[in-house]
Amino acid sequence: MIEISERAQDHFRKLIAQQQIEGLGIRLRVEKGGTPAASCELEFCEPSELRGDEWTVECHGFEVHVDGDSVSWLEGASIDFEPDATGGLLNIRAPRIKGEVPREEAGIVERVRYVIEATINPQIASHGGRVSLLEVTADGVVVLQFGGGCHGCGMVDVTLKNGIEKTLREQVPEITAVRDATDHSSGENPYYEGRKGASAVS
């Protein structure tokens, strides 16, 4: 599934030896797999920290443990280490990590969900916010639920109209409108105060 070059294995062995911990290995996991924001995370991992669902790569003198829910994103991946004047660079290539953009003939729900996960949620994550797709009506209205810092936020209408709706309608032309079905009066940690008690956008 994943190829680890000899240079990369040498690099990992040196790092592990410096820690002086018996049985220490490397854990590899994917964050935000299937989106443009996807990334690979590497960290040291002791045997007691393994959950049991990992896919293990046997290397000379150590093991690399791939988190079970990251395996599908790392099919055909490779890890190499490129030495340079300042030490070197670990290079991870994972062709499938960002998933595949839905084709034009894909259903509207699939395309809307992809835009939300790939573009919108990474943008509003800086405010601690997120949106979930509740439904796409027969006449092309997208109904969303806000969460996190967007739940109860005083600027949610601006985010909805100037950000989310604009982005969705540009990328999925069949959409006729975007609506917010969130009860913002129950928001507990809004990014901007001032929304509580207001009714949801209709």
Side-chain angles (χ1 to χ4, degrees), residues 112-184:
V112 168
R113 188 172 284 121
Y114 179 83
V115 174
I116 289 171
E117 294 302 326
T119 304
I120 293 168
N121 276 336
Q123 288 174 348
I124 63 177
S126 62
H127 295 176
R130 64 183 181 278
V131 293
S132 303
L133 176 64
L134 294 183
E135 67 170 320
V136 179
T137 68
D139 55 352
V141 177
V142 173
V143 183
L144 301 176
Q145 175 88 33
F146 282 84
C150 290
H151 188 190
C153 177
M155 296 294 289
V156 73
D157 289 348
V158 176
T159 300
L160 181 70
K161 291 296 178 187
N162 295 347
I164 295 173
E165 181 167 350
K166 182 180 177 185
T167 299
L168 281 170
R169 294 185 75 172
E170 283 175 353
Q171 298 194 36
V172 187
E174 300 95 313
I175 291 173
T176 58
V178 179
R179 294 199 178 129
D180 175 13
T182 313
D183 175 11
H184 286 283

Side-chain angles (χ1 to χ4, degrees), residues 180-197:
D180 175 13
T182 313
D183 175 11
H184 286 283
S185 64
S186 62
E188 295 181 357
N189 190 26
Y191 188 71
Y192 288 110
E193 296 287 351
R195 176 74 183 184
K196 284 195 175 186

Side-chain angles (χ1 to χ4, degrees), residues 59-143:
C59 299
H60 182 64
F62 70 98
E63 295 177 337
V64 174
H65 307 284
V66 182
D67 276 8
D69 54 6
S70 297
V71 169
S72 62
W73 304 117
L74 294 171
E75 188 67 39
S78 63
I79 303 177
D80 192 18
F81 182 75
E82 301 172 6
D84 61 27
T86 60
L89 177 67
L90 197 63
N91 193 347
I92 303 175
R93 290 187 174 89
R96 299 185 60 182
I97 193 172
K98 296 185 178 182
E100 296 182 6
V101 178
R103 300 177 182 228
E104 270 188 40
E105 60 268 24
I108 187 170
V109 172
E110 182 183 350
R111 285 182 286 138
V112 168
R113 188 172 284 121
Y114 179 83
V115 174
I116 289 171
E117 294 302 326
T119 304
I120 293 168
N121 276 336
Q123 288 174 348
I124 63 177
S126 62
H127 295 176
R130 64 183 181 278
V131 293
S132 303
L133 176 64
L134 294 183
E135 67 170 320
V136 179
T137 68
D139 55 352
V141 177
V142 173
V143 183

